[in-house]
Amino acid sequence: MPPVIDYKKCNACGICVDMCAQDVFFGSKDGEKPVVSYPEVCWHCNACVTDCPEKAISLRIPLTQLVIYK
Amino acid sequence: MITEKIQADVLIIGGGTAGMMAAIRAAELGVKVVVVEKANTLRSGAGGMGNDHFLCYIPDYHGPDIEPVLEEFLRRSIISEIAHKDILRQFFLRSYETVKLYESYGIPMRYNGKWEFGGHTIPGGINLWLRYQGRDQKKVLTEKALELGVIIQNRVMVFELLGDADGVAGALGVDTRADKVIEFQAKSVVLSTGLCMRLYQPITPGWIGNTDLPFNLSGDGRAMAYRLGAELTNLEWPYRHSGIAYFQRNGRGSWLGVLRDYQGKPIGPFIDKPSLQYGDSAMTAHEILDKHLKTGRGPIYIDHRGMSDKELEYQAFWLTHEQQIATLNHLREEGIDLSKHQIGFMSYGIRFKGGVSINTEAETSVRGLYAAGDEFTISIGPAATYGRIAGENAAKYAKAIPAPDIKRYRAKIEEIKSLIEGIRGRQWGPGWLEANVSIQQTMNDFAGLIRSESGLDAGLSYLKRVKEKVRKGIMARNQWELIRCLEVINLLDQGELVFITAKTRKETRYKHIRSDYPMAHPNMEKFITVKKINGNPVLDWVEPRN
């Protein structure tokens, strides 16, 4: 579930933890790679992806939000 | 539980666009300003990841007379049916000042050196939405506020105002990550906590986070203002936003295609090919969007075919400023190509309009308490403009009075601390999600799109039972859940007020549909206000101000 962190790229800077308005990363510790504790309230605002200096985060859009098209 | 004490001249609750603009203005006037923000002001609020259309009146573009602009807005009527006209006029009068300030802070307000207006306009009408590059607006506003000496307390939720109906004296905040409360003493307070997004079900009832604005917006300001004794207005009107299906998201004005039914017929009379200047105003016709889906004529699609690559790039550019980067990434990952494919478009879950009553000076009915932004007016332009007005007046007020004594409110502080300790101390009981979903089903079923006396009575009585159980038994396993629980308590107060005001409006008007009173009553062409007096909600009818 979103966001998905590539721990190989993550440098544990904590920017995503600071930015997330929903505090999806609650419980993450300073200086350590973040944990995704509450993915179900991710609003897909993309702040963590946009602001990550290592491009280590992507969002997995849940099936409930798959866009309809034809 | 640790207790910290912070003193401010002006306390600003909610560091979104309105809150930051209030903070900047108050700090310019030389008072001590503290902003308390539930998340982080760099990316928080409805404009956290940007906006690209800014409602405003620019004399160079629109001409010297403001009245046609105001009339156009009322005619376009996205929010007009329930707004005091003097509030809107004051906003339009001061909106150009806001645009120029944004530009001076470094937010790009022009496109290729010019004012670029577009979207949300009926062909032949006046364009009112300025396209601007707002993706990093919150970072810019935060930087500006810090430069001016504003103190920002991120990750603190203010849960209760201190004071009484005669005047505000401060507030009690709860740290969102540590077991800590903060007592704020303040001469004046600006409420700018934004809309309430979690009172009704989202389009996906089982997925509470699929909201069209941030999930953590829970209308805290409305609930706190009511509990303090401030007046609220217009809570009985339901409202639905619309956008692409099922990726619930604000920012529909950035999509420039035509809404068509399955057979390809445009559903609105406005445009039959994509329009950069106008967009398709049919997207605000929620009943039609809904009816198509529910009567087997749907879904409705938005069709961008016919737009050149350059025009599609133009649209994508603005969408990235309107918090839609994730949406665009999703379309790409799914292989959805707007030059070939049409995407679903639908009405979203219910919100309620209205909020904390203000006048044209952003004053509420309580002395020293101001409100701005989505607390009452909706949309980014009014948020920024009324934020500034609120900050200015809150600072002037603070300069004129001595520091209040919050010791008088010790009993209230202790009551809240004991509420928090209760929530954190329980080993079993309903959690925040269970309670929130229960509230949402009650609101949707009994104070939803079709209302009646029997349904409203049943729903109100049910909601009160839920409230009683929540107050006595809700539990949180950590600080994150505690914050959600406090939000749930705020939702319950707001839900109750929606029921009470909806019961009072015994007529059908605008989106408030009463099956037992199917006609509009000429005597009810007024607004309903509610405030708490001696512990009970007291309602009144007021004439819309001109």
Side-chain angles (χ1 to χ4, degrees), chain A residues 38-60:
Chain A
Y38 290 99
E40 66 275 21
V41 301
C42 171
W43 187 64
H44 314 105
C45 75
N46 216 63
C48 58
V49 180
T50 301
D51 292 335
C52 175
E54 302 299 326
K55 298 198 182 327
I57 310 180
S58 57
L59 298 181
R60 186 185 74 70

Side-chain angles (χ1 to χ4, degrees), chain B residues 16-77:
Chain B
T17 296
M20 295 316 288
M21 287 297 280
I24 290 167
R25 184 58 186 146
E28 282 171 357
L29 296 175
V31 295
K32 183 180 176 186
V33 184
V34 176
V35 174
V36 195
E37 162 60 51
K38 199 149 66 162
N40 186 317
T41 63
L42 292 167
R43 289 293 189 202
S44 64
M49 272 302 278
N51 294 104
D52 78 332
H53 41 294
F54 195 103
L55 181 66
C56 59
Y57 162 64
I58 295 186
D60 290 349
Y61 179 88
H62 293 108
D65 188 1
I66 201 167
E67 290 304 319
V69 168
L70 183 57
E71 288 311 313
E72 175 73 13
F73 183 70
L74 293 170
R75 191 171 75 91
R76 275 292 285 111
S77 69

Side-chain angles (χ1 to χ4, degrees), chain A residues 22-35:
Chain A
Q22 321 311 326
D23 212 3
V24 158
F25 305 102
F26 178 83
S28 298
K29 294 188 173 66
D30 279 353
E32 291 180 18
K33 295 185 179 185
V35 292

